[in-house]
mmCIF file of all heavy atoms in Angstrom:
data_model
loop_
_atom_site.group_PDB
_atom_site.id
_atom_site.type_symbol
_atom_site.label_atom_id
_atom_site.label_comp_id
_atom_site.label_asym_id
_atom_site.label_seq_id
_atom_site.Cartn_x
_atom_site.Cartn_y
_atom_site.Cartn_z
ATOM 1 N N ASN H 170 -27.722 52.132 -30.016
ATOM 2 C CA ASN H 170 -28.196 51.424 -28.836
ATOM 3 C C ASN H 170 -29.555 51.978 -28.425
ATOM 4 O O ASN H 170 -29.658 53.148 -28.037
ATOM 5 C CB ASN H 170 -27.171 51.614 -27.701
ATOM 6 C CG ASN H 170 -27.669 51.054 -26.380
ATOM 7 O OD1 ASN H 170 -28.374 50.042 -26.354
ATOM 8 N ND2 ASN H 170 -27.324 51.730 -25.287
ATOM 9 N N VAL H 171 -30.590 51.157 -28.528
ATOM 10 C CA VAL H 171 -31.920 51.591 -28.079
ATOM 11 C C VAL H 171 -31.943 51.433 -26.560
ATOM 12 O O VAL H 171 -32.197 50.358 -26.021
ATOM 13 C CB VAL H 171 -33.040 50.766 -28.749
ATOM 14 C CG1 VAL H 171 -34.401 51.264 -28.279
ATOM 15 C CG2 VAL H 171 -32.927 50.855 -30.266
ATOM 16 N N ALA H 172 -31.671 52.534 -25.872
ATOM 17 C CA ALA H 172 -31.499 52.462 -24.413
ATOM 18 C C ALA H 172 -32.825 52.533 -23.683
ATOM 19 O O ALA H 172 -32.904 52.200 -22.491
ATOM 20 C CB ALA H 172 -30.592 53.611 -23.953
ATOM 21 N N LEU H 173 -33.861 52.985 -24.398
ATOM 22 C CA LEU H 173 -35.165 53.159 -23.741
ATOM 23 C C LEU H 173 -36.228 53.226 -24.837
ATOM 24 O O LEU H 173 -36.007 53.816 -25.892
ATOM 25 C CB LEU H 173 -35.163 54.485 -22.963
ATOM 26 C CG LEU H 173 -36.313 54.761 -21.978
ATOM 27 C CD1 LEU H 173 -36.203 53.820 -20.769
ATOM 28 C CD2 LEU H 173 -36.283 56.210 -21.495
ATOM 29 N N VAL H 174 -37.382 52.607 -24.560
ATOM 30 C CA VAL H 174 -38.555 52.848 -25.402
ATOM 31 C C VAL H 174 -39.600 53.479 -24.499
ATOM 32 O O VAL H 174 -39.929 52.946 -23.440
ATOM 33 C CB VAL H 174 -39.092 51.548 -26.037
ATOM 34 C CG1 VAL H 174 -40.389 51.841 -26.810
ATOM 35 C CG2 VAL H 174 -38.050 50.941 -26.985
ATOM 36 N N MET H 175 -40.050 54.658 -24.899
ATOM 37 C CA MET H 175 -40.936 55.417 -24.014
ATOM 38 C C MET H 175 -42.185 55.893 -24.740
ATOM 39 O O MET H 175 -42.230 55.994 -25.966
ATOM 40 C CB MET H 175 -40.199 56.634 -23.444
ATOM 41 C CG MET H 175 -39.660 57.569 -24.510
ATOM 42 S SD MET H 175 -39.008 59.124 -23.802
ATOM 43 C CE MET H 175 -40.555 60.025 -23.599
ATOM 44 N N SER H 176 -43.211 56.177 -23.914
ATOM 45 C CA SER H 176 -44.394 56.848 -24.420
ATOM 46 C C SER H 176 -44.915 57.747 -23.302
ATOM 47 O O SER H 176 -44.410 57.701 -22.177
ATOM 48 C CB SER H 176 -45.444 55.824 -24.864
ATOM 49 O OG SER H 176 -46.492 56.483 -25.562
ATOM 50 N N HIS H 177 -45.890 58.586 -23.618
ATOM 51 C CA HIS H 177 -46.344 59.586 -22.649
ATOM 52 C C HIS H 177 -47.855 59.515 -22.512
ATOM 53 O O HIS H 177 -48.576 59.367 -23.508
ATOM 54 C CB HIS H 177 -45.903 60.972 -23.142
ATOM 55 C CG HIS H 177 -45.987 62.052 -22.114
ATOM 56 N ND1 HIS H 177 -45.634 61.876 -20.800
ATOM 57 C CD2 HIS H 177 -46.380 63.345 -22.223
ATOM 58 C CE1 HIS H 177 -45.801 63.024 -20.143
ATOM 59 N NE2 HIS H 177 -46.259 63.923 -20.982
ATOM 60 N N LEU H 178 -48.331 59.609 -21.267
ATOM 61 C CA LEU H 178 -49.763 59.499 -20.983
ATOM 62 C C LEU H 178 -50.458 60.858 -21.125
ATOM 63 O O LEU H 178 -49.961 61.869 -20.640
ATOM 64 C CB LEU H 178 -49.972 58.966 -19.557
ATOM 65 C CG LEU H 178 -49.483 57.537 -19.300
ATOM 66 C CD1 LEU H 178 -49.422 57.252 -17.797
ATOM 67 C CD2 LEU H 178 -50.392 56.527 -20.009
ATOM 68 N N ALA H 179 -51.617 60.835 -21.733
ATOM 69 C CA ALA H 179 -52.353 62.092 -21.960
ATOM 70 C C ALA H 179 -53.181 62.498 -20.748
ATOM 71 O O ALA H 179 -53.425 63.683 -20.519
ATOM 72 C CB ALA H 179 -53.267 61.935 -23.177
ATOM 73 N N CYS H 180 -53.626 61.520 -19.950
ATOM 74 C CA CYS H 180 -54.637 61.807 -18.919
ATOM 75 C C CYS H 180 -54.237 61.266 -17.548
ATOM 76 O O CYS H 180 -55.102 60.924 -16.729
ATOM 77 C CB CYS H 180 -55.977 61.193 -19.332
ATOM 78 S SG CYS H 180 -56.545 61.770 -20.945
ATOM 79 N N ALA H 181 -52.938 61.206 -17.295
ATOM 80 C CA ALA H 181 -52.480 60.604 -16.040
ATOM 81 C C ALA H 181 -52.911 61.408 -14.817
ATOM 82 O O ALA H 181 -52.915 60.893 -13.702
ATOM 83 C CB ALA H 181 -50.957 60.456 -16.061
ATOM 84 N N ASP H 182 -53.286 62.678 -15.016
ATOM 85 C CA ASP H 182 -53.748 63.478 -13.870
ATOM 86 C C ASP H 182 -55.184 63.129 -13.470
ATOM 87 O O ASP H 182 -55.692 63.632 -12.479
ATOM 88 C CB ASP H 182 -53.615 64.985 -14.161
ATOM 89 C CG ASP H 182 -54.408 65.423 -15.389
ATOM 90 O OD1 ASP H 182 -54.996 64.553 -16.081
ATOM 91 O OD2 ASP H 182 -54.443 66.633 -15.654
ATOM 92 N N THR H 183 -55.830 62.269 -14.254
ATOM 93 C CA THR H 183 -57.209 61.865 -13.976
ATOM 94 C C THR H 183 -57.247 60.342 -13.923
ATOM 95 O O THR H 183 -57.452 59.674 -14.937
ATOM 96 C CB THR H 183 -58.147 62.384 -15.101
ATOM 97 O OG1 THR H 183 -57.839 63.763 -15.354
ATOM 98 C CG2 THR H 183 -59.604 62.252 -14.732
ATOM 99 N N PRO H 184 -57.025 59.764 -12.724
ATOM 100 C CA PRO H 184 -56.812 58.306 -12.626
ATOM 101 C C PRO H 184 -57.947 57.491 -13.217
ATOM 102 O O PRO H 184 -57.701 56.421 -13.786
ATOM 103 C CB PRO H 184 -56.704 58.054 -11.119
ATOM 104 C CG PRO H 184 -56.486 59.379 -10.486
ATOM 105 C CD PRO H 184 -56.902 60.446 -11.431
ATOM 106 N N GLU H 185 -59.190 57.978 -13.125
ATOM 107 C CA GLU H 185 -60.317 57.175 -13.609
ATOM 108 C C GLU H 185 -60.501 57.273 -15.120
ATOM 109 O O GLU H 185 -61.362 56.632 -15.698
ATOM 110 C CB GLU H 185 -61.618 57.579 -12.876
ATOM 111 C CG GLU H 185 -62.051 59.025 -13.049
ATOM 112 C CD GLU H 185 -61.296 60.022 -12.153
ATOM 113 O OE1 GLU H 185 -60.323 59.621 -11.459
ATOM 114 O OE2 GLU H 185 -61.649 61.215 -12.178
ATOM 115 N N HIS H 186 -59.678 58.067 -15.779
ATOM 116 C CA HIS H 186 -59.869 58.251 -17.229
ATOM 117 C C HIS H 186 -59.528 56.971 -17.991
ATOM 118 O O HIS H 186 -58.452 56.398 -17.801
ATOM 119 C CB HIS H 186 -58.985 59.394 -17.729
ATOM 120 C CG HIS H 186 -59.484 59.978 -19.014
ATOM 121 N ND1 HIS H 186 -59.489 59.267 -20.192
ATOM 122 C CD2 HIS H 186 -60.023 61.192 -19.310
ATOM 123 C CE1 HIS H 186 -60.000 60.022 -21.158
ATOM 124 N NE2 HIS H 186 -60.335 61.201 -20.643
ATOM 125 N N PRO H 187 -60.433 56.513 -18.856
ATOM 126 C CA PRO H 187 -60.194 55.249 -19.579
ATOM 127 C C PRO H 187 -58.980 55.294 -20.515
ATOM 128 O O PRO H 187 -58.438 54.254 -20.887
ATOM 129 C CB PRO H 187 -61.487 55.051 -20.395
ATOM 130 C CG PRO H 187 -62.213 56.358 -20.372
ATOM 131 C CD PRO H 187 -61.748 57.111 -19.168
ATOM 132 N N MET H 188 -58.566 56.501 -20.864
ATOM 133 C CA MET H 188 -57.401 56.649 -21.745
ATOM 134 C C MET H 188 -56.150 56.032 -21.113
ATOM 135 O O MET H 188 -55.263 55.557 -21.837
ATOM 136 C CB MET H 188 -57.192 58.146 -21.963
ATOM 137 C CG MET H 188 -56.170 58.486 -22.974
ATOM 138 S SD MET H 188 -56.930 58.816 -24.554
ATOM 139 C CE MET H 188 -55.468 59.309 -25.440
ATOM 140 N N ASN H 189 -56.042 56.037 -19.781
ATOM 141 C CA ASN H 189 -54.834 55.508 -19.137
ATOM 142 C C ASN H 189 -54.636 54.033 -19.473
ATOM 143 O O ASN H 189 -53.578 53.634 -19.963
ATOM 144 C CB ASN H 189 -54.903 55.726 -17.619
ATOM 145 C CG ASN H 189 -54.836 57.198 -17.263
ATOM 146 O OD1 ASN H 189 -54.023 57.940 -17.816
ATOM 147 N ND2 ASN H 189 -55.682 57.626 -16.343
ATOM 148 N N ALA H 190 -55.674 53.244 -19.204
ATOM 149 C CA ALA H 190 -55.566 51.801 -19.485
ATOM 150 C C ALA H 190 -55.410 51.555 -20.984
ATOM 151 O O ALA H 190 -54.671 50.658 -21.410
ATOM 152 C CB ALA H 190 -56.787 51.070 -18.946
ATOM 153 N N ALA H 191 -56.082 52.375 -21.788
ATOM 154 C CA ALA H 191 -55.998 52.194 -23.246
ATOM 155 C C ALA H 191 -54.571 52.452 -23.728
ATOM 156 O O ALA H 191 -54.035 51.696 -24.547
ATOM 157 C CB ALA H 191 -56.982 53.126 -23.942
ATOM 158 N N GLN H 192 -53.953 53.492 -23.195
ATOM 159 C CA GLN H 192 -52.576 53.785 -23.620
ATOM 160 C C GLN H 192 -51.604 52.707 -23.138
ATOM 161 O O GLN H 192 -50.656 52.361 -23.830
ATOM 162 C CB GLN H 192 -52.148 55.166 -23.104
ATOM 163 C CG GLN H 192 -52.714 56.302 -23.938
ATOM 164 C CD GLN H 192 -52.006 57.619 -23.645
ATOM 165 O OE1 GLN H 192 -52.453 58.368 -22.788
ATOM 166 N NE2 GLN H 192 -50.913 57.887 -24.325
ATOM 167 N N ARG H 193 -51.867 52.210 -21.948
ATOM 168 C CA ARG H 193 -50.995 51.162 -21.422
ATOM 169 C C ARG H 193 -51.081 49.902 -22.299
ATOM 170 O O ARG H 193 -50.060 49.295 -22.644
ATOM 171 C CB ARG H 193 -51.378 50.823 -19.978
ATOM 172 C CG ARG H 193 -50.345 49.989 -19.264
ATOM 173 C CD ARG H 193 -50.735 49.749 -17.820
ATOM 174 N NE ARG H 193 -51.453 48.500 -17.661
ATOM 175 C CZ ARG H 193 -50.894 47.307 -17.661
ATOM 176 N NH1 ARG H 193 -49.587 47.179 -17.804
ATOM 177 N NH2 ARG H 193 -51.614 46.215 -17.526
ATOM 178 N N ALA H 194 -52.289 49.555 -22.696
ATOM 179 C CA ALA H 194 -52.478 48.361 -23.552
ATOM 180 C C ALA H 194 -51.751 48.562 -24.893
ATOM 181 O O ALA H 194 -51.084 47.655 -25.405
ATOM 182 C CB ALA H 194 -53.969 48.109 -23.773
ATOM 183 N N ARG H 195 -51.888 49.778 -25.426
ATOM 184 C CA ARG H 195 -51.247 50.092 -26.693
ATOM 185 C C ARG H 195 -49.727 50.017 -26.559
ATOM 186 O O ARG H 195 -49.014 49.539 -27.436
ATOM 187 C CB ARG H 195 -51.645 51.531 -27.039
ATOM 188 C CG ARG H 195 -51.402 51.937 -28.427
ATOM 189 C CD ARG H 195 -52.750 52.308 -28.987
ATOM 190 N NE ARG H 195 -52.983 51.734 -30.279
ATOM 191 C CZ ARG H 195 -52.870 52.429 -31.415
ATOM 192 N NH1 ARG H 195 -52.424 53.657 -31.396
ATOM 193 N NH2 ARG H 195 -53.173 51.858 -32.541
ATOM 194 N N PHE H 196 -49.242 50.510 -25.435
ATOM 195 C CA PHE H 196 -47.801 50.511 -25.172
ATOM 196 C C PHE H 196 -47.285 49.072 -25.158
ATOM 197 O O PHE H 196 -46.266 48.749 -25.774
ATOM 198 C CB PHE H 196 -47.540 51.208 -23.826
ATOM 199 C CG PHE H 196 -46.088 51.447 -23.504
ATOM 200 C CD1 PHE H 196 -45.297 52.251 -24.317
ATOM 201 C CD2 PHE H 196 -45.502 50.898 -22.366
ATOM 202 C CE1 PHE H 196 -43.964 52.490 -24.021
ATOM 203 C CE2 PHE H 196 -44.167 51.134 -22.056
ATOM 204 C CZ PHE H 196 -43.401 51.928 -22.886
ATOM 205 N N GLU H 197 -48.034 48.186 -24.484
ATOM 206 C CA GLU H 197 -47.629 46.774 -24.427
ATOM 207 C C GLU H 197 -47.581 46.172 -25.832
ATOM 208 O O GLU H 197 -46.632 45.492 -26.201
ATOM 209 C CB GLU H 197 -48.632 45.977 -23.596
ATOM 210 C CG GLU H 197 -48.743 46.468 -22.164
ATOM 211 C CD GLU H 197 -48.080 45.541 -21.174
ATOM 212 O OE1 GLU H 197 -48.083 44.323 -21.411
ATOM 213 O OE2 GLU H 197 -47.542 46.044 -20.167
ATOM 214 N N GLU H 198 -48.642 46.486 -26.585
ATOM 215 C CA GLU H 198 -48.771 45.899 -27.910
ATOM 216 C C GLU H 198 -47.643 46.382 -28.840
ATOM 217 O O GLU H 198 -47.000 45.588 -29.532
ATOM 218 C CB GLU H 198 -50.143 46.322 -28.453
ATOM 219 C CG GLU H 198 -50.497 45.812 -29.806
ATOM 220 C CD GLU H 198 -51.678 46.628 -30.350
ATOM 221 O OE1 GLU H 198 -52.610 46.946 -29.563
ATOM 222 O OE2 GLU H 198 -51.639 46.973 -31.545
ATOM 223 N N LEU H 199 -47.383 47.691 -28.804
ATOM 224 C CA LEU H 199 -46.373 48.235 -29.721
ATOM 225 C C LEU H 199 -44.957 47.846 -29.302
ATOM 226 O O LEU H 199 -44.117 47.551 -30.152
ATOM 227 C CB LEU H 199 -46.497 49.760 -29.811
ATOM 228 C CG LEU H 199 -47.792 50.289 -30.452
ATOM 229 C CD1 LEU H 199 -47.799 51.813 -30.463
ATOM 230 C CD2 LEU H 199 -47.969 49.740 -31.868
ATOM 231 N N THR H 200 -44.694 47.853 -28.010
ATOM 232 C CA THR H 200 -43.318 47.552 -27.582
ATOM 233 C C THR H 200 -42.970 46.085 -27.824
ATOM 234 O O THR H 200 -41.808 45.744 -28.005
ATOM 235 C CB THR H 200 -43.081 47.907 -26.096
ATOM 236 O OG1 THR H 200 -44.097 47.303 -25.293
ATOM 237 C CG2 THR H 200 -43.082 49.406 -25.886
ATOM 238 N N ARG H 201 -43.976 45.224 -27.854
ATOM 239 C CA ARG H 201 -43.716 43.809 -28.160
ATOM 240 C C ARG H 201 -43.142 43.642 -29.560
ATOM 241 O O ARG H 201 -42.459 42.668 -29.849
ATOM 242 C CB ARG H 201 -45.010 42.990 -28.033
ATOM 243 C CG ARG H 201 -45.129 42.275 -26.683
ATOM 244 C CD ARG H 201 -46.151 41.142 -26.724
ATOM 245 N NE ARG H 201 -47.503 41.599 -27.039
ATOM 246 C CZ ARG H 201 -48.382 42.018 -26.120
ATOM 247 N NH1 ARG H 201 -48.037 42.028 -24.846
ATOM 248 N NH2 ARG H 201 -49.585 42.414 -26.479
#
Side-chain angles (χ1 to χ4, degrees):
N170 173 35
V171 181
L173 191 69
V174 175
M175 58 172 279
S176 190
H177 195 40
L178 295 166
C180 303
D182 59 355
T183 313
E185 61 280 7
H186 202 293
M188 188 97 175
N189 293 316
Q192 281 195 268
R193 193 177 94 77
R195 195 120 227 258
F196 188 62
E197 300 254 327
E198 181 196 320
L199 294 179
T200 52
R201 262 198 299 272

